[in-house]
Every structure is written in structure tokens, then in C-alpha cells.
Amino acid sequence: MHTRPADDRLPYHEDPTPGSGTLPPRAWYAASDAARLSLDGTWAFRLTASADSTGTAFTGDDPDGTATAGWDAITVPGHWVLQGHGAPAYTNVNYPFPVDPPRVPSENPTGDHRRVFDLPGDWPDGGDSVLRFDGVESCARVWLNGEELGTFQGSRLPHEFAVGRLLRPRGNVLAVRVHQWSAGSYLEDQDMWWLPGIFRDVTLLHRPAGSPADFFVHAGYDHTTGEGTLRVDCEPAGRVTVPELGLDLATGEEITVPAEPWTAETPRLYDAVLATGGERVPLRVGFRTVRVEDGVFKANGRRLLFRGVNRHEFHPERGRALDMETMRQDILLMKRHNINAVRTSHYPPHPAFLDLCDELGLWVVDECDLETHGFTSFEGWRGNPVADPRFTPALLDRARRMVERDKNHPSVVVWSLGNECGAGTGLSAMAAWIRERDPSRPLHYENDPSCPDSDFYSRMYASHEEVELIGRRAEEPLGDPLADARRRSLPFILCEYAHAMGNGPGGLAEYQRLFETYERLQGGFVWEWIDHGLPRVTPEGRPYYAYGGDFGEELHDGNFVCDGLLFPDRTPSPGLVEYKKVVEPVRIAVDAAAGTVRVTNGHDFRDLGHLAFGWRHEVEGVAVASGTLDVPALAPGDSADVPLPPAPATQLAGEPVWTVTAVLADDTSWAPAGHTVAWAQATTPAAPRPAATGTAHAPSRDADGIRLGAARFDPRTGALLALGDLALRQAPRLDLWRAPTDNDLGADWQDDIRYAPLWRQVGLHRLQHRVEAVDAAGDALLVRARVAPAASDLGLFAEYRWTAVGDELLLAVTVTPDGGAWPCTLPRVGLRLGLPGAYGDATWFGGGPGEAYPDSRAASVTGRYAMPVDALQTPYVRPQENGARADVRWAELRAADGSGLRIAAGDDPFWFTARRWTSEQLDAARHTTDLVPGDTVWVNLDHAQHGLGSQSCGPGPLPRHRLEVAPAAFSFRFSALGGPAA
């Protein structure tokens, strides 16, 4: 059945055409009354170094296994490099082999797989049977019972072979040869681990006589009449029944009936059955219509706002071999974090994932298995396959296999041609075919700025400023007036933005405000869903997650593969918590002074009847009272002002805080009743902070140094040595450095300022402190110092003014820049001090429970929190600055016996960070296992922090979030907490 390649000199795996012997693509469905047999499980496996280093004896009709004696066992679905055979490799853009399409290296890891299976005793006679592969990377050649069935490429797409005539009741021998590299690899350069293998299901499907060859469910919705129109095209003909709607109609017949629409907010599905002479196929019908109208993308007549993510398929142990539980977990996490859309970057997902999107409710941009990003390295994308006619049949094949497989999913609302392929006639051929086959959905493609094949103007990582111009349809014009006019008429999406690599992204709230302001801006998709860290263990047995370069790759892109909103184990990162808050579909504004709450429904389709609203009142983080709010079931876009109750009476002293929440009133398919959807807070003016009481102390000297109240200082340096019985490991002193985040480091291809390289160039990571004066002046101890890096005339003067009243030690700090013009911002401005390691329990009143930074603080909830210092750390796969808590009014660090240190804000709240290693040690670490806790708790009390941005691939922090070099003044109040000596 194998046909000759287009070029007689090329072996099949280097043939740019799709392959041979496969059946036409068709719709996927999870089950029917036709028999099916899963061939997943344990297979015999052999890995060889090249595509032609072994013969094909293993493919013979040899059910007793003689041909595979001595082979290893491997799990299918799976990747051989994750099961002890070879190693994974990560590249973002560059191909890990010489670029000479369609040729690939002779050193081409090849996995031979073999499975012997019996048919079930009740396997039907008659009809035919189909062998289905849902995903094989990157090229497969298949034999059954000694006969070759054919070959295929297109790793993340289904391929089927007719095999009925070859089957026997027992001892069927299925043999599959898989090559890591093929001509298809040039179309699959998709910023992820290269993971060869049979990684999706292998299934034998019985096809009874008269069963559907294919079918297409058309289910539109007319929002003006409230009616749905259903037609199911099928070959051969049959009947469709929808019991809930009382429908029984012939295939090909169209009927219009009153129906509830499907949306991601209200994923209404009607159970139906397609019955032909040979098979009954359960259907789930969702009525909805999507179109671009008047420059706006609409569903069921209403504008959509994508609150989306890009989702690669990934599991830390199984790679892209996902099970249903993991797929469902992903969608539940998305729904619980207010995400309403997913772009299937950069290939169609496992088809069962789309079933779950139908059921639970997500808008899906379904993307073709196509990316040729590596050709951007060559002038004019020289050699790009999408502009090479030899590859056009393969491009069309990939488009067909995606559309035909996924066409019956109401969740799929946009087809995407692929990602980062430049421009070429192959893309236009794909677009033309899709438009003819399925005119009911618009098309997306980002990488051609004139948008000839796209119904959207789509960009990646555009700055806030540029996005606002686009929202006003005032972007920089194209050179061609006609192309410019067409693009200016299109709706806009950021198909990738807010690069979630390491600590970040910052600037989400500002993007969302733009999306909600300008009708043309229809949201975007954060890059990306999950960190692709692979678990490893150090020789000492300490686990960590590996990234590019950790497997000895000659060419790799480091931890750029760890850029997700989830950590590899699917724990939400602070970035995901922030995103949930920023995109929440209900806006709540609490005006404590006026005693009102303004509630706005930001849903696209749903009223607020499914939510319950409540309030709570706290003083200094201590609960005082709570209750419910009567909020009407506002329609989408509507607002209402609701009164707050009077502030409850209390004897508690401190800062009062109102919190208003919107939670699910009842259990849903994706979260239980009580799940928080949205919230807001407001403070009411507190009584003025009481001044320190007691006797004001003056500095004095004795044999142990300078005394000031309960504090003792070094007479030479002015360093605080002890406060009462608490001996410090390091005195508080000015600190400017932080371990650069991935976003601080930036991407080397960007023209914008990259902050961390400048910080290092200036020397902020190696500051030296020179004490210039230690003076007792009246009731104060004044310490003057200059802080500066070696080899530079830049520096900062710091004046520390210590006073003591009663049991409190007060510190006022002023900072003044010195030297010439600074070429950079500062990472932080504040104090660092060291406490004995026993002081490992933190309590604070301020923002929490998780970390926050200037442009990523929307999710910070004002309250009282307590946790061990070790729990304050965020375990980014590549260690970096983390763990700051925002707007802290006071913090305490205690030992087990209750002794400790209390730090209260002077004039303004501060940023609080505590960890068992220094910023320099954090900076030097490549993996979490490099961080070894020391005997000191290092505490940062920051007046200001530099923002995060998303410059690991996107823009840096907005100007208002940059920490410019400027004079600063801030203050703290310290007191020792009772207990035995440390």
C-alpha cells in the first residue's frame, strides 16, 4: 500500500507529502454502539540511532514474539525519551538539526514498537475495522500481521487505516516504526520539548456496514428569535433524534425550534443520537452562532471578551500523553480562575479535551499542527515550508484533519491556521479550503501583518500603548491602503501576551482595562498555561524540575520552557491568582465612606442570578461581623448601587476593612457552592496611629557600645547589634538588589531596555557600604553612610536616624542619589536585616496571602496572616526574586518560645520579604535544589520595588511601575517580643 515518494531519491520520512495508505479524515466521537478495542498499554520497544540502521523483521507475522526477543517494554501512549530511552531536548525557535528541508539527519532516533493482541470474543463479524492513531511524533510506518498499511506525518492529528481484511481472532501483530525527525518536523517547531513516540491513543474500531463515514452537525442560534436551527449531514443517510426538543428528523433535513443557546458561561448541551443502518452515535448538540460583524467578533449576537490562556499539552511525568483526569483538571482550574477561553497552542489537543470544553464551557481557538518558526533565522524566511509548494499538500492535509476531527464541537469558535510561520501561499491554500468547508467559523492567523488569511487582527506581546492605539483603530498604517483599510476593520486579539515566565506577569490589570474600554479589543490569551519542567533528582536524592540544557543538549533555550501560570505539578502560581482577580467577570467597587457598593456585571451572556453576595468587616485583620448583600440579578453590562450596612460596633482598635465577595450560590459542574468568583475591599479611616508612649531615651555609651533604649549599637559603624535580648545577625542597612526575575533579565532579541543586565553592569549586585559618621545628636543616633558599587562613581547616601521611646525603637531613613546620571532603575529600595534562624514563624497585617509586586498586586487581600518563613517562598523552577508581601502595616517574626521581633510601618506601609538565604544566593541558584537554608532569616523591609512586566518575551514594566533613582524617605518601628533569649 506504500506509494512512491514525490522524489524517488527521498525515503518516506523525508517526503514532504503527508504519507500514504490512510483513510480520509472524519469527525471524532468518544463512543458509539459499535465495538472498539483500546490497544494502549505495554508494547515491545527497541530504539536505534538512525532511520535505516535495522531491518523490518519485527514487522512479520510472528505472534510468538521471536522477532522482539530481548526488546524492552514501553507504555503507549507515551514518549520513549521519558521512559529511559534517549533524552528530551528543548528549543524555542531553532531546529535542533541542520535546516535543509525536507531532509533530516542520518542520526535520527527511531523507535520500533510492537503489540500482539487478540480480538474480544464478541468482536462482530462483517463490516470493516479501522486502526486509529490519535497522535504519533513525528513520522510513523505501520504494519499489521506482516502487511504494510502505510506511513503518515502530522504528529498531533489522527490517522486511520482500514484493516478489517487483515484481522484474525488471535495473535494479531501490530508493528509501528516511529522516527523522531521527518519532513514533518519542519512544520512542528512549536516551542516545546521534542518528545518522540506514540503519545496518544491507539484504537481498533469496528465499522459496521452502514455506519457513518462522516457527519457534520450544524447547530446555529438566532438571538433575535431565541431559536436554534439544526441540520446533521451524514453519509450514509440516517436519522437524528433530540428527545428533549421532541425532534426526530432525517439527516440533511433542517429544522428550527425554540432552544437555549450554548455559551462558555452557560454551556447548554442537548443529548441527541445519530442513527444509521449500522451504528448509533451519541451527540451533544450546542446551539450557537459566531461571526465577525461590524468589526466585532460576536457569539449569539453579543461581543465576546476572551479571558484566555494558551495551552500546551503537558504532564511532568508523561509529557504530551495526557489522560482524561489531567485534561479535566486543567479545565476546572481554568474555570475556577475566571478563564473563559483557550487557544490550543500550537496544535489540536487530544480530542477528548474539546468534549470537556463543550461540557464545562470554554471558548476554543483550535490551532492547526503547524509552526515553522526556525526559518525566521534566515533572511526573508528563506526556505519557509509555507511558501514551498512541495509542502502545500501536507499543509492542506493538516488543515483537513483538524477541521474534520473537531468540526462538531460548539466550543470551537475559531480555526487558527498555525503559529509563527511567516507568510506564504500554503497558508492561503489552507484558509481557502477551511472557508469552503466550514464558513460558520472565522479564521485566525497572527504572523502575517497584512492579515490576508485572517478574520482578526492578531498580535503577540504588543505594548499597552500600541494596544490602545489599535483599540482606537489608530495603529501605524500598512503601506498598502487597501490592506490597511481591511485590517483596520478587523477585531483585535492578543493571541499571546503577558508572558508568564517566572515571577510575573506584570501589567495584566492595565491590559484588561484596555480590553474593557475599547470594543475592538476582544481580549487575549496569556502565554502560557503550565511550566514544562521535567522531574529529576539530585545524586543526594533531592527532587527538582529540569529545563533546557539539563539533559546535555548542545542547542537549547534554557528555562524558557517554564513560562506558565501553573507550576509543573499543576499548583497555581501567583500569576494565575493575579489573572483570576484581573479578569473576574463581576466588578465590585466598595465606597466605605458613602456606605455603598457598586456592582457591575461583566459577563458576556449571563445575569448575576447564579451568584450570592456577602460582606465582612474586620479590624486589623480580626473578624467583627459578616452578612449578605441583596444584589439584583443584573443583566450583562448593567450596574447597581447597593447599600452597605452600618459599620458594626466593636471595641477593637486598628484599621477597619470592608470586604465584599461574589460566590457561587449553588454547586456547578466546575466548582462547589461558595467558590469565590469576585471580591473587593475598602478601608475606612482608622483612628490615628498612636504615638509611641513612654520615656524618650537618649543615646549613651558603655563598654558594650552605644545604648538607645533597649537597643545596643556598634560604636564604630552605628550598626544595630541587639534589641533587648534579640541579637541580630545583620543590622538593618540599605539594600538595592534582588535576584533578577526572568522578566528583569528580558529577552536578548528585544530592543527595549533590559533592566537586570544594566543592574549588573552598574554593579548593584555587589554594593559596598562605607560609614561616614556615627553621631549622637540630642535624643537621636545618626548614622551616615554611602552605598556604592566598585568601579563606579555612582552611589547613594543613606542617613539612618534612630530614636527610642518606651519599648520601641524608631528608624527614619533618607536616601539621596550621588554621582552622575544613573543609566538604570533600581531593583528595590529598602532595608535588609538578619535574624537568628530560630525566628522562623511570620505573622503580618497587610497584603496576602501570596506574593505581590507593584504591577501584580490586584489579588493581594488585606488581612492578618501567619505562616512559616519557609512557606513564604514561591518555588519558581529557576529561582529568582519572590515572596514579597505588599502594603504591610506590621510584621512579626517569632521563635517557638514566643520571642521575636515586631516591625511596624512608620508613615507608609512597606513590602515584607523573609527567607533563609540571601538575595545573592538566590541569584546564584539554577534550580531550587541549589538553595540550602542557612542559620539566618534574612528580612527585607522595602520602601519600593521595581515592577515585573513581562519582558521575558513581552514589554517591560509600565513607566509608573519602574523604580527610578530618586530621593526617598521611609521609616519603621521595631520592638522586641517577649520570650527567652534567642
Side-chain angles (χ1 to χ4, degrees):
M1 296 180 67
H2 181 57
T3 58
R4 294 173 64 190
D7 186 330
D8 290 342
R9 296 167 297 177
L10 295 180
Y12 66 90
H13 66 280
E14 293 185 322
D15 184 346
T17 59
S20 62
T22 57
L23 294 168
R26 63 190 179 103
W28 182 90
Y29 46 97
S32 75
D33 64 350
R36 61 176 57 205
L37 175 65
S38 172
L39 299 179
D40 297 346
T42 302
W43 291 48
F45 178 78
R46 173 184 64 186
L47 181 65
T48 55
S50 68
D52 55 1
S53 60
T54 59
T56 58
F58 79 103
T59 70
D61 191 356
D62 171 32
D64 62 5
T66 303
T68 56
W71 285 28
D72 294 315
I74 198 169
T75 298
V76 171
H79 305 279
W80 69 67
V81 294
L82 299 184
Q83 299 186 57
H85 304 278
Y90 166 63
T91 60
N92 168 30
V93 174
N94 294 314
Y95 291 100
F97 49 79
V99 178
D100 181 23
R103 307 303 304 275
V104 294
S106 298
E107 292 83 8
N108 187 357
T110 295
D112 290 333
H113 303 68
R114 201 175 90 140
R115 168 79 187 262
V116 179
F117 66 94
D118 299 331
L119 293 180
D122 59 354
W123 192 260
D125 294 327
D128 199 354
S129 291
V130 166
L131 178 64
R132 181 182 181 92
F133 295 88
D134 278 304
V136 181
E137 183 173 333
S138 72
C139 174
R141 186 180 179 188
V142 184
W143 296 261
L144 181 63
N145 292 333
E147 183 168 325
E148 183 173 348
L149 302 179
T151 66
F152 62 84
Q153 301 175 32
S155 298
R156 283 151 284 277
L157 293 162
H159 296 84
E160 293 181 333
F161 298 96
V163 297
R165 64 183 180 82
L166 298 175
L167 291 173
R168 57 198 179 204
R170 302 187 61 80
N172 293 282
V173 179
L174 175 58
V176 185
R177 172 162 285 172
V178 180
H179 306 292
Q180 174 156 12
W181 309 125
S182 69
S185 301
Y186 286 100
L187 306 179
E188 297 172 1
D189 186 25
Q190 292 149 320
D191 184 13
M192 58 188 183
W193 293 102
W194 297 91
L195 300 176
I198 305 173
F199 69 96
R200 287 185 186 159
D201 310 284
V202 183
T203 312
L204 184 67
L205 303 167
H206 184 244
R207 307 304 300 136
S211 60
D214 192 20
F215 60 90
F216 196 161
V217 178
H218 305 272
Y221 182 75
D222 187 335
H223 65 281
T224 65
T225 65
E227 294 177 320
T229 298
L230 176 64
R231 185 184 83 250
V232 179
D233 296 330
C234 181
E235 177 61 38
R239 298 199 68 80
V240 178
T241 54
V242 189
E244 192 174 354
L245 296 175
L247 297 181
D248 184 343
L249 64 155
T251 56
E253 179 184 348
E254 187 168 281
I255 191 167
T256 299
V257 294
E260 298 175 47
W262 187 97
T263 74
E265 296 169 3
T266 55
R268 181 66 161 96
L269 294 171
Y270 290 89
D271 289 331
V273 174
L274 166 64
T276 64
E279 187 176 15
R280 292 174 58 86
V281 181
L283 305 178
R284 295 193 300 181
V285 176
F287 293 96
R288 61 109 188 93
T289 295
V290 293
R291 61 168 58 98
V292 173
E293 185 176 70
D294 300 324
V296 177
F297 179 53
K298 297 179 180 179
N300 303 334
R302 295 187 63 89
R303 170 185 181 262
L304 276 187
L305 183 58
F306 289 128
R307 302 168 168 92
V309 291
N310 287 275
R311 175 185 176 268
H312 266 302
E313 293 186 305
F314 182 76
H315 186 280
E317 281 85 28
R318 299 190 299 274
R320 287 187 282 280
L322 299 191
D323 58 7
M324 283 289 288
E325 180 183 354
T326 300
M327 289 184 267
R328 182 177 288 273
Q329 182 184 4
D330 277 350
I331 296 178
L332 294 180
L333 281 168
M334 290 177 191
K335 296 284 289 186
R336 291 170 184 173
H337 287 86
N338 293 329
I339 289 164
N340 72 354
V342 60
R343 175 180 175 230
T344 69
S345 52
H346 300 293
Y347 42 83
H350 190 291
F353 179 80
L354 300 179
D355 265 0
L356 293 171
C357 292
D358 295 341
E359 173 190 328
L360 298 170
L362 283 176
W363 306 109
V364 176
V365 176
D366 198 359
E367 191 149 273
C368 197
D369 190 10
L370 176 61
E371 181 172 336
T372 64
H373 201 177
F375 287 88
T376 193
S377 302
F378 311 116
E379 184 178 358
W381 287 73
R382 185 179 67 252
N384 189 1
V386 303
D388 183 343
R390 294 178 299 170
F391 281 91
T392 299
L395 301 177
L396 287 168
D397 181 72
R398 289 171 185 245
R400 289 189 187 104
R401 291 186 183 279
M402 172 183 71
V403 171
E404 300 296 8
R405 193 196 75 168
D406 298 342
K407 59 183 178 284
N408 295 325
H409 292 282
S411 58
V412 175
V413 292
V414 178
W415 300 119
S416 181
L417 299 179
N419 185 69
E420 292 176 320
C421 296
T425 56
L427 292 167
S428 298
M430 295 169 68
W433 184 89
I434 295 174
R435 291 187 196 283
E436 181 176 1
R437 177 59 173 147
D438 180 25
S440 72
R441 294 175 173 98
L443 294 186
H444 167 268
Y445 182 67
E446 176 272 338
N447 210 219
D448 187 339
S450 62
C451 306
D453 301 312
S454 179
D455 296 309
F456 297 88
Y457 179 24
S458 178
R459 285 288 309 281
M460 295 181 181
Y461 307 108
S463 68
H464 299 81
E465 180 182 19
E466 183 181 1
V467 169
E468 182 162 17
L469 286 173
I470 294 169
R472 291 164 33 204
R473 302 189 192 269
E475 65 268 25
E476 190 73 21
L478 294 169
D480 181 340
L482 290 177
D484 181 69
R486 180 183 178 277
R487 191 182 74 176
R488 210 173 292 276
S489 71
L490 300 177
F492 178 80
I493 59 172
L494 278 168
C495 67
E496 294 180 21
Y497 82 115
H499 198 249
M501 186 176 178
N503 189 344
L508 283 168
E510 290 84 355
Y511 275 118
Q512 193 66 23
R513 280 197 286 271
L514 293 172
F515 299 158
E516 295 175 4
T517 299
Y518 296 99
E519 184 183 52
R520 185 190 189 190
L521 306 181
Q522 301 204 237
F525 298 82
V526 169
W527 186 268
E528 64 156 309
W529 178 236
I530 187 170
D531 285 346
H532 298 206
L534 295 173
R536 298 191 82 183
V537 179
T538 67
E540 299 76 30
R542 299 180 67 200
Y544 67 98
Y545 287 108
Y547 47 78
D550 287 334
F551 296 93
E553 307 102 302
E554 293 180 342
L555 186 70
H556 65 85
D557 286 291
N559 68 311
F560 204 72
V561 77
C562 294
D563 47 10
L565 293 169
L566 298 180
F567 294 119
D569 64 357
R570 282 181 161 75
T571 300
S573 75
L576 181 57
V577 177
E578 177 78 358
Y579 194 40
K580 174 185 178 179
K581 173 60 180 168
V582 165
V583 300
E584 60 189 11
V586 182
R587 295 299 184 204
I588 304 171
V590 184
D591 188 335
T596 60
V597 180
R598 186 165 184 81
V599 178
T600 301
N601 183 3
H603 288 87
D604 293 325
F605 299 93
R606 192 171 199 181
D607 67 27
L608 296 187
H610 64 297
L611 299 178
F613 289 80
W615 61 269
R616 68 176 184 267
H617 188 74
E618 298 169 329
V619 173
E620 204 86 350
V622 177
V624 175
S626 62
T628 61
L629 285 178
D630 187 13
V631 176
L634 298 170
D638 286 355
S639 300
D641 292 315
V642 179
L644 274 174
T650 178
Q651 298 301 310
L652 294 173
E655 184 177 355
V657 179
W658 288 94
T659 303
V660 174
T661 58
V663 304
L664 291 177
D666 301 297
D667 290 347
T668 70
S669 60
W670 50 270
H675 167 79
T676 300
V677 173
W679 60 270
Q681 289 186 306
T683 59
T684 53
R689 181 182 289 116
T693 58
T695 304
H697 304 277
S700 63
R701 292 178 181 264
D702 61 21
D704 294 325
I706 299 176
R707 298 280 185 176
L708 181 60
R712 181 166 57 89
F713 295 84
D714 186 304
R716 295 178 301 102
T717 65
L720 176 65
L721 301 176
L723 183 59
D725 293 326
L726 172 58
L728 276 69
R729 294 281 172 81
Q730 180 181 291
R733 66 180 187 177
L734 186 66
D735 187 34
L736 307 177
W737 182 244
R738 74 183 188 195
T741 67
D742 292 310
N743 290 309
D744 291 339
L745 293 167
D748 58 11
W749 62 80
Q750 293 175 329
D751 295 329
D752 296 340
I753 295 172
R754 296 168 58 207
Y755 293 98
L758 277 178
W759 296 342
R760 285 195 198 280
Q761 181 179 325
V762 170
L764 297 181
H765 59 305
R766 47 179 173 79
L767 294 174
Q768 299 180 28
H769 297 251
R770 182 182 77 229
V771 177
E772 300 203 326
V774 178
D775 297 319
D779 63 352
L781 177 67
L782 296 180
V783 180
R784 298 181 181 88
R786 189 175 188 271
V787 181
S792 173
D793 65 347
L794 300 174
L796 295 164
F797 285 112
E799 181 179 275
Y800 308 91
R801 187 178 190 275
W802 295 95
T803 57
V805 177
D807 293 332
E808 280 195 318
L809 181 67
L810 286 66
L811 171 61
V813 182
T814 58
V815 179
T816 307
D818 183 41
W822 286 70
C824 62
T825 60
L826 296 176
R828 66 183 347 133
V829 172
L831 302 178
R832 189 202 303 189
L833 59 99
L835 300 178
Y839 293 88
D841 291 313
T843 305
W844 75 96
F845 174 54
E851 71 183 26
Y853 288 84
D855 53 353
S856 182
R857 62 190 297 173
S860 183
V861 184
T862 300
R864 185 185 296 230
Y865 301 96
M867 63 182 69
V869 165
D870 295 339
L872 293 173
Q873 315 311 307
T874 303
Y876 293 110
V877 173
R878 187 194 71 81
Q880 56 198 273
E881 166 63 33
N882 73 88
R885 269 58 180 183
D887 299 316
V888 174
R889 282 73 157 174
W890 56 260
E892 295 177 351
L893 289 152
R894 291 181 182 265
D897 63 3
S899 64
L901 177 68
R902 178 183 174 92
I903 307 126
D907 297 323
D908 300 303
F910 58 94
W911 303 84
F912 167 64
T913 311
R915 55 175 69 102
R916 294 186 183 276
W917 38 76
T918 65
S919 295
E920 291 76 16
Q921 290 168 331
L922 187 61
D923 184 12
R926 291 188 67 248
H927 298 95
T928 53
T929 48
D930 297 329
L931 294 169
V932 179
D935 60 359
T936 301
V937 172
W938 295 97
V939 180
N940 278 94
L941 310 172
D942 290 318
H943 169 64
Q945 281 259 4
H946 186 69
L948 299 173
S950 62
Q951 203 172 1
S952 51
C953 194
L958 286 162
R960 62 180 170 276
H961 298 308
R962 299 171 192 158
L963 181 51
E964 304 291 350
V965 179
F970 47 94
S971 57
F972 300 98
R973 301 158 66 179
F974 299 90
S975 53
L977 300 171

